[in-house]
Amino acid sequence: MNDAASNEYDDSAEGAGAENAGATGNTGASGLVGRESSVIPGRFGDPMTVTHAEWSQDRGRRNPGRPLFLLIHGWGSTAADMMEFFSAYVSPFSDYVALQSPLTMPDYPAAATWFHDCVPTGEDLDRDAFAAATGIDAWVHEHVPDDRAVIPLGFSQGGLLAVHLLRVDPTRYAAAVTLSGFLAPGIVPGTAPHDAELAELDTSVFYGVGGRDTCIPRYEAKAFEAWLEEHTYLKLCEYPNMDHSICLDEVDDLRTWLVSIGASSGLM
């Protein structure tokens, strides 16, 4: 925590430059805007530009030969929350950057959300997932060198987006971690454009899920598990007594998995 720095987005690219602003960018999202939300101002699928990031020491360049973790928060949370969790419990010596959504909660502007509802469904979810994922992906391509391995790690909404990044730009991300995440159904054409390509890559994914999660229905969790089995190299970890949260057993399993795929800093 003490050696992390908060940095607002600026026009100087850290990585490949504006001319290579993502495999998808967020230009295509403008044609996938849906209905107006009654929860968060705006429309499902509104194009998104990420404007705030919080980096680990040396702006994520402390261990350039190791993966950079891309931390993605959930509903009502912040980049700082994810940064504190990761640096305290998961891999404190790894490089990371925590992104924060520009969408804020009407009654609590310090908190953010990637979607226009807590857990959208159907076409609404497809549209918001694509808009957020393409906005994040564009940020990565602008700020992270192309030869730097990137592993998205997210909770809840962020867990969905960690996987959805694989669905919009599958060759850019080395692995993914979804903690109590869920799945966009992919019923709106163009919102999950590279599922078939992803299924050929065998990308490693860690999925942690609680047996007492009352936020994500059990059938949705099972559908997510089945989809991941079909499209990725899945490490499934279930915790019968965990609700929509993260437990210490899950953190232990995650750390072990990171070592097994060679993604840990080597110092735990």
Side-chain angles (χ1 to χ4, degrees):
M1 277 294 295
N2 293 335
D3 57 63
S6 173
N7 301 97
E8 292 293 330
Y9 173 88
D10 60 36
D11 291 331
S12 60
E14 290 294 320
E19 72 278 3
N20 185 27
T24 57
N26 55 5
T27 55
S30 61
L32 293 169
V33 176
R35 68 183 182 92
E36 189 170 353
S37 170
S38 61
V39 179
I40 301 296
R43 292 182 175 275
F44 292 97
D46 278 341
M48 178 177 290
T49 300
V50 177
T51 59
H52 182 83
E54 301 200 19
W55 292 89
S56 58
Q57 189 178 53
D58 299 329
R59 290 182 62 86
R61 293 183 286 236
R62 193 176 192 180
N63 297 299
R66 310 296 296 176
L68 174 74
F69 287 87
L70 179 71
L71 309 182
I72 311 171
H73 65 77
W75 167 267
S77 189
T78 64
D81 292 336
M82 289 300 294
M83 178 184 69
E84 291 173 9
F85 160 69
F86 185 83
S87 62
Y89 294 102
V90 179
S91 189
F93 297 100
S94 290
D95 291 340
Y96 60 83
V97 59
L99 302 186
Q100 184 159 321
S101 170
L103 293 178
T104 58
M105 312 290 287
D107 298 326
Y108 187 45
T113 173
W114 294 103
F115 304 152
H116 288 83
D117 201 346
C118 180
V119 183
T121 59
E123 293 189 0
D124 293 340
L125 179 54
D126 276 349
R127 297 178 193 280
D128 264 359
F130 180 76
T134 52
I136 293 169
D137 188 52
W139 187 96
V140 169
H141 278 273
E142 186 170 359
H143 288 273
V144 182
D146 288 342
D147 61 355
R148 184 75 188 271
V150 177
I151 299 178
L153 179 156
F155 171 73
S156 192
Q157 289 185 358
L160 181 149
L161 289 171
V163 170
H164 213 80
L165 285 167
L166 304 180
R167 304 176 74 182
V168 300
D169 194 359
T171 60
R172 181 63 190 92
Y173 302 97
V177 177
T178 176
L179 306 176
S180 298
F182 49 110
L183 180 71
I187 56 178
V188 176
T191 55
H194 297 292
D195 281 0
E197 181 181 358
L198 175 62
E200 299 297 320
L201 296 177
D202 223 18
T203 303
S204 292
V205 172
F206 179 98
Y207 174 34
V209 58
R212 296 186 177 181
D213 192 329
T214 57
C215 183
I216 309 301
R218 186 65 177 165
Y219 66 87
E220 292 283 3
K222 285 298 184 182
F224 192 20
E225 175 188 338
W227 188 93
L228 289 169
E229 286 278 13
E230 183 177 351
H231 291 83
T232 71
Y233 186 68
L234 175 63
K235 173 64 175 180
L236 173 68
C237 290
E238 298 181 87
Y239 307 95
N241 296 318
M242 187 175 77
D243 57 13
H244 194 68
S245 61
I246 300 169
C247 67
L248 290 178
D249 285 346
E250 183 178 24
V251 171
D252 287 343
D253 289 338
L254 174 57
R255 287 158 58 112
T256 300
W257 177 80
L258 289 175
V259 171
S260 75
I261 65 167
S264 160
S265 66
L267 298 171
M268 305 298 280

